[in-house]
Amino acid sequence: EDVPVPQLAFQANNDNVLREQITDAQKPLATMDYFLQQVHTALEAGEKQRDKLDSDRWRASFDLAMGRVLAMRVRAFGYNTVLAEMKSSPKKFEQSDSNQWRLEPSESLNAGATVKRMHDKAIEYLTRVINEHPGTPWAFLAQVELSEPLGWKWVEGHMQIAEANTGNNRNGPQFAPEEEM
């Protein structure tokens, strides 16, 4: 199955459209977190043995895998949290021509103490890979993972929205006269 790509832009010309899009966006992330949870559980089972690994390569691989799965879970939890908050009480636009909300990476974590602990652990693992294995592919991947913050923030914007066909508008579908009947 394909890994879901989170939806980051939401049409918000009215609250019902926004809520509908948010509900649709939350579904694939719930599925993804189920699989991330399984990987996380498997890695946690080996965490106590990490220091007994006798190869730098194995330690770098373990730390990178643990850091990345934790970072992905933090992003998924935060994503779901900010979507749920927006769905229950949609934010109001500050600019009159805004009709879209976009999610952008942010240092702000809005997902509780458990997610904060996962965040700190992800940063610890990824930073350890960078510090203990500089110049390696593992360090490069850890830097890529850390290149964007793990939280989310809403940014308002404007998008083109197709207007409903009012009948007078001849830009809609064109039918032959006999089909118009």
Side-chain angles (χ1 to χ4, degrees):
E1 193 169 312
D2 291 339
V3 175
V5 175
Q7 180 178 340
L8 299 179
F10 297 86
Q11 179 180 329
N13 52 317
N14 76 56
D15 289 350
N16 289 336
V17 168
L18 177 63
R19 284 186 175 105
E20 197 173 291
Q21 288 184 51
I22 287 173
T23 299
D24 290 344
Q26 286 176 306
K27 292 173 189 169
L29 263 291
T31 303
M32 184 177 83
D33 191 59
Y34 170 77
F35 291 108
L36 290 172
Q37 169 71 45
Q38 290 185 318
V39 172
H40 184 202
T41 300
L43 288 169
E44 272 185 325
E47 197 169 15
K48 289 181 180 68
Q49 306 303 317
R50 183 233 175 247
D51 291 335
K52 294 179 183 171
L53 293 171
D54 60 359
S55 159
D56 283 349
R57 188 174 287 225
W58 281 108
R59 277 191 301 279
S61 293
F62 180 85
D63 289 350
L64 180 64
M66 182 64 99
R68 290 185 83 186
V69 77
L70 287 167
M72 285 186 264
R73 292 200 71 207
V74 169
R75 286 186 178 108
F77 272 117
Y79 179 85
N80 195 42
T81 300
V82 296
L83 289 182
E85 288 170 356
M86 179 68 94
K87 191 162 65 171
S88 68
S89 59
K91 294 166 76 68
K92 302 294 177 218
F93 292 120
E94 292 180 14
Q95 299 167 16
S96 61
D97 69 334
S98 292
N99 64 359
Q100 173 195 56
W101 287 107
R102 269 187 341 275
L103 279 172
E104 293 183 357
S106 168
E107 294 294 339
S108 173
L109 291 178
N110 321 16
T114 302
V115 176
K116 176 74 173 119
R117 280 192 300 275
M118 286 172 48
H119 170 273
D120 293 348
K121 211 168 170 184
I123 301 299
E124 175 189 327
Y125 273 100
L126 294 167
T127 303
R128 181 164 54 200
V129 172
I130 293 165
N131 292 340
E132 292 183 7
H133 310 281
T136 65
W138 297 276
F140 173 77
L141 291 172
Q143 287 169 324
V144 168
E145 194 68 60
L146 290 173
S147 67
E148 285 197 338
L150 305 184
W152 299 101
K153 68 178 176 185
W154 289 107
V155 177
E156 69 181 87
H158 181 81
M159 67 190 300
Q160 292 295 332
I161 297 175
E163 294 189 26
N165 195 352
T166 59
N168 305 350
N169 182 353
R170 298 307 288 173
N171 293 334
Q174 300 295 310
F175 298 100
E178 59 275 9
E179 292 172 322
E180 284 286 344
M181 300 297 203

